Amino acid sequence: MASEFGKQLKISIFGESHGPAIGVVIDGLPAGEALNLSVLQQFLARRAPGQNRMTTARKEPDLPQILSGVLAGKTTGAPLCAVIQNTDMHASDYANLRDIPRPSHADYPAFLHYHGYQDIRGGGHFSGRLTAPLCIAGGICLQILGRRGIFVGSHLASVGPVSDWRFDAASVTPELLSSLCQKSFPVLSEEAGIKMQAEIDDARKALDSVGGTIECAVTGYPAGIGGPMFDGVENRLSAALFGIPAVRGVEFGAGFDAAAMRGSAHNDAYCCREGQIITQTNRHGGILGGISTGMPIVFRVAIKPTPSIAQEQDSVSLSRMEPVKLQIKGRHDPCIAVRALPCVEAAAAAVLLDLLLSESN
């Protein structure tokens, strides 16, 4: 099923951007795991719209209602179902999109695939709004992973041409990841963060948008998890990450920079430290042969510019088969990457917990 992922831990997402509600079903959670709803709400708040001028003006509290799978604050082992009510919908903003597809949106391919029956309001099931239930699932997985000494965090690695420092991939710490989660604009270099915000503001004032990259790290993940060929840790992570709307690329460790390096510069030498085998550097990003090495897992995700911009654009009328001009209405993020950080962390946490549970069964 297209809206489901996972093996031992199956996550299924449902709803549309301007429907009555969106939600998630999580099947395979271990029984007896404590769930802190306050911590979960704090995690969801990082993704929620309407936070500041850097995000869409749509106001949604994103308060999850858990319908099943939790009793007295702990998981029961039954499927967990959670829903979020949509409250701030402007469906009329999208009435003309039934006939005029938006550039770089899923409108036209969805029209072909679903023969015109798809929900076009706000992108329907293709909307970034569906990352809210993903964050419910990932936020729960983060709590379970944290009790096992595994921590996930991220920062904005770039916005447009402005770049932040990169993680020290060999020695990133849980404390650093935790501190980033507390920031309203999570960057390692405050100077870079100021320049990024100016870049986003410039795009907004120009009725335009700008893309960015997110660097995510995972500490404490045990070595030996995963498998070769087509079911490795990178494979499973990439599949889930590409489920986040606007993701355009994923790279691990040195990533594409490795293509310009020699083997002597790219190889990570092994050494022994405190009774453990580790690597002196971490250009492999914590995964070799699809299997975790025990080093921090580090990867980057490229996020495209928001395709919904207020500038007039060229499109076509599907009914008349002729070119038309399109002025997109609605409320949209000038930079999707700002709100995508917890989505990336959520997808990573869900996949990594699924892999752990699969290894233990």
Side-chain angles (χ1 to χ4, degrees):
M1 192 166 88
S3 301
E4 179 182 279
F5 71 100
K7 295 190 176 182
Q8 181 68 26
L9 184 67
K10 293 183 173 64
I11 295 173
S12 179
I13 292 172
F14 61 87
E16 291 86 25
S17 177
H18 285 59
I22 53 178
V24 63
V25 176
I26 313 168
D27 195 359
L29 285 171
E33 292 285 352
L35 176 56
N36 187 321
L37 292 178
S38 176
V39 171
L40 177 61
Q41 190 61 59
Q42 290 172 19
F43 180 69
L44 291 174
R46 293 172 54 208
R47 192 222 68 92
Q51 301 175 50
N52 51 50
R53 72 179 189 278
M54 300 294 161
T55 64
T56 172
R58 181 173 179 175
K59 296 284 187 180
E60 293 283 3
D62 282 358
L63 299 173
Q65 179 186 7
I66 296 179
L67 304 180
S68 65
V70 177
L71 183 64
K74 293 188 176 181
T75 56
T76 64
L80 187 154
C81 179
V83 297
I84 294 175
Q85 301 297 324
N86 288 327
T87 60
D88 188 17
M89 297 93 77
H90 291 186
S92 61
D93 289 342
Y94 303 94
N96 64 328
L97 303 183
R98 179 70 63 187
D99 186 55
I100 305 173
R102 295 167 295 177
S104 290
H105 274 277
D107 298 348
Y108 179 60
F111 168 80
L112 297 175
H113 188 80
Y114 295 107
H115 311 293
Y117 292 104
Q118 80 282 2
D119 186 345
I120 51 87
R121 301 169 301 169
H125 193 64
F126 293 90
S127 171
R129 180 89 183 112
L130 274 296
T131 58
L134 171 64
C135 283
I136 294 176
I140 292 170
C141 293
L142 283 168
Q143 292 187 32
I144 297 173
L145 289 173
R147 286 192 286 272
R148 290 157 172 76
I150 301 166
F151 301 94
V152 183
S154 63
H155 71 110
L156 273 171
S158 70
V159 168
V162 183
S163 295
D164 191 18
W165 301 328
R166 282 193 178 184
F167 282 134
D168 181 341
S171 59
V172 62
T173 64
E175 292 75 21
L176 174 60
L177 300 182
S178 177
S179 69
L180 287 167
C181 293
Q182 307 305 315
K183 292 185 176 183
S184 59
F185 199 83
V187 288
L188 300 174
S189 165
E190 298 303 325
E191 181 181 356
I194 292 170
K195 292 179 180 178
M196 287 180 185
Q197 292 178 71
E199 187 74 21
I200 295 170
D201 225 18
D202 287 347
R204 180 181 61 82
K205 291 174 182 175
L207 307 182
D208 213 335
S209 62
V210 64
T213 59
I214 295 167
E215 185 175 45
C216 186
V218 183
T219 64
Y221 202 69
I225 304 296
M229 295 293 287
F230 307 116
D231 202 29
V233 179
E234 301 112 310
N235 308 60
R236 300 274 289 275
L237 282 171
S238 297
L241 290 165
F242 275 110
I244 299 170
V247 168
R248 275 290 171 263
V250 179
E251 63 175 4
F252 293 85
F256 278 88
D257 289 345
M261 302 169 72
R262 294 192 174 188
S264 56
H266 181 262
N267 288 354
D268 299 305
Y270 288 105
C271 65
C272 293
R273 185 179 300 166
E274 299 177 357
Q276 290 186 319
I277 296 176
I278 62 169
T279 56
Q280 295 176 13
T281 51
N282 189 21
R283 285 177 281 271
H284 67 285
I287 307 163
L288 289 170
I291 301 171
S292 59
T293 66
M295 295 295 289
I297 294 173
V298 180
F299 61 90
R300 284 168 296 282
V301 178
I303 306 291
K304 72 178 182 182
T306 316
S308 289
I309 57 176
Q311 293 181 19
E312 189 176 72
Q313 300 179 79
D314 291 323
S315 187
V316 296
S317 165
L318 298 177
S319 61
R320 301 191 305 273
M321 291 297 288
E322 63 184 27
V324 296
K325 296 292 185 181
L326 175 64
Q327 189 89 40
I328 295 176
K329 299 178 182 179
R331 302 149 295 171
H332 309 286
D333 295 81
C335 181
I336 305 173
V338 176
R339 290 170 56 216
L341 281 92
C343 307
V344 168
E345 295 166 20
V351 169
L352 294 174
L353 179 58
D354 182 28
L355 282 161
L356 272 184
L357 294 176
S358 298
E359 289 282 337
S360 63
N361 286 334

